[in-house]
Amino acid sequence: MRRRFAHGLLAVAAILVALCGIALLLQRQVLDGAGFVANVDQLRQDPAVARAIGDQVADAAVAHRPDLVAIKPLIAQVATAVVASSAAGPIFRVAARQAHATLTEPGSDQVVLRLADLGAVVTALLPVVSPEAADAIPPDLSVTLATIGGQGGPIAAAVRYAHLAEVLTWVLLVLTAGCLAGAVLIHPRRRRAGVEAGLAVAAGGVLLLGIALVAQVWAASLDPSTTSGLVCRALWISFGRPLFAVATLVLLLGGMVVVAASSVLPTAAIESRFRAAVRWVTHRPSSTRQAVARASLFGGLGLALVLWTEPMLRVLGTLAGVGALLYFLLEVCRLSAGRQRSREAVLPAGTVVRPAPLALGAVGVVLVVWQLAARSGPDLPAGSGIEASGTGCNGHVELCDRRYDEVAFAAAHNAMSAEDAGFYLAEQPTGMVGLLDQGVRVPLVDTWYGQPVAGGRAITAKQSFSAAAQQAEQDFGPEVVQSVNRLVTQIQASVGPTTGPVQPYLCHTFCEIGGTPLLPALQGVRAWLQAHPREVVSLFIQDTVSPADTAKSLDAAGLTPQAYVPGGVDAPWPTLGSMIDTGKRLVVLMEHQGGGTAYPFLLQGFDYVQDTGYSYPTAASFDCALNRGTATSPLFMVNHWLNNFGQLVSDSKEVNTFTVLDARMQACLAERGRKPNFVAVNWVNLGALNQVVDKLNGF
């Protein structure tokens, strides 16, 4: 009975040791003001956190003035650099002190970490790269980095309990010491009780390791695409990782007590237990209950290693390292006392080691399931799951009997220049697949040669750079191109070495201000076409990439078999229904170089298309005059956007309205004597593009 009572006290002591370690860490890392401020200031040095905060600053700026979306990547880049620089140090430290004061204030249950003056610092540095953007960002722009707690709930309770950490630390220490001393006094064998007391302290260290493991798994499960998720992950680095160190120290402390106590006991006192443990692992247990327990232990260990490899290896490495150190100390103690340990093998001679077949089988099953889960999943990119449009053609049964050149299609100007892809001077909300989902059937894209660099970015390849500079002058105008050139120069100076070969990219002039590899984008189009078998789609490519490389990319994406080859400029176009039935429902038009006889599916664009101008400063300046192509070209494209890059969103909201857009289509229909086939706009999600196209088609 005395032994059982002593063991009960030791179990309580192990739990108290773990709680004491947490309380000590909480007091040092959270309640200590200087430590808390230093840890929060360290957050901004995490590249992912700095980037997430920079994106949040850019989002806040765009919310304040929507036209800033054109230079949103630039604002985010500058803000990210500010956050990671010494300029943001005082801002973070002030925010941390304020949050810490709230944390330690009695009765508080919410802590807000707000970077109140970050907008002022970003505004001060923006003129270096973009003077036109500096005045547009409010200097009082604030960013809430994290909000912890609230009225009620477990977080609020944890904050309230954190206030008691200093008192709890001493209380827990006294209780732990009392339980250990009581167990030693009650135990019928005092020397063995010393060993078991050390084991209880070590068990507390194991509990701390388990808590640290759970905390790390939780931190890794947080969404890295959100600021709060990244901040919590970074907080784990600052606050959570020291928990492993505390656990290691507790394990060493408990192990040293075990070593000290066992050094004055017969050798069998500790080695017999070790041998028993090895025998339990390597021999099949005599009872079914023990066999099930052992199999469950190994199965759980294997599952944890598969699911949480890094933290589990850290836990196992810590245990192995502590064990090796303690073995060294034990040998030193015994050698110094003249009691050298026997050199006999741990396992008796002739012992056969038998791996636990159930544990190995469970680990194998988990590995197979994990691999299958990792390889499974939809083949289609996000956003491509809209169901096929029944038995109609491009959404309408009536269009199946109409020739391709008798149908109006929604078109997206610079379809690759997407805000969600981080393009500077973005002209669309999303990329080609997302635009197809929104009703666009003619993405207008630009191809350039680029080269990937670290961080998923790209730089303009040397053979395209001079052409990109000329195109930028033509597209953006002298004022905007100065900002573009500054940004390109800054990016080129900051990127590391290239990480891949020169390849075709979708870029808006310079790939530094936005670039997407061509092949994955085309693969997304193919997947969308597979999911929508009753749709006809056209690509109009402003090509700097050669016809050979364009054809190679189309072929690699699996689009070549679906590309339509007409009989000539004067040959009649097929109906949408026949294009769908024959599987030739992709029309590829090239602005500069057609494919000729080598690649007949790459059509010389302005042999087949006539268009309007594309450089209009105001809605009043819109006209329908012939620009490129000839008056006999079978397809008619109306370019309907304004070229004011400082107010792309505002302009699109103005000119994409049904009133303005429909009036121009009707005017061009009357003036040119033919229906517009491609109606091309910026920011297709703003206005009434699809309604105007439906009206042109008679719906």
Side-chain angles (χ1 to χ4, degrees), residues 44 52-53 78 103 105 113 142 149 201 210 317 389 412 415 417 628 671:
R44 65 182 178 82
I53 298 172
V78 173
L103 177 68
E105 181 180 339
L113 192 60
S142 66
V201 174
S389 51
S417 183
R628 294 168 294 186
E671 180 178 331

Side-chain angles (χ1 to χ4, degrees), residues 36-45 88-90 92-93 96:
F36 183 85
V37 171
N39 281 319
V40 172
D41 188 37
Q42 186 181 352
L43 286 177
R44 65 182 178 82
Q45 301 176 36
F92 274 75
R93 288 191 287 272

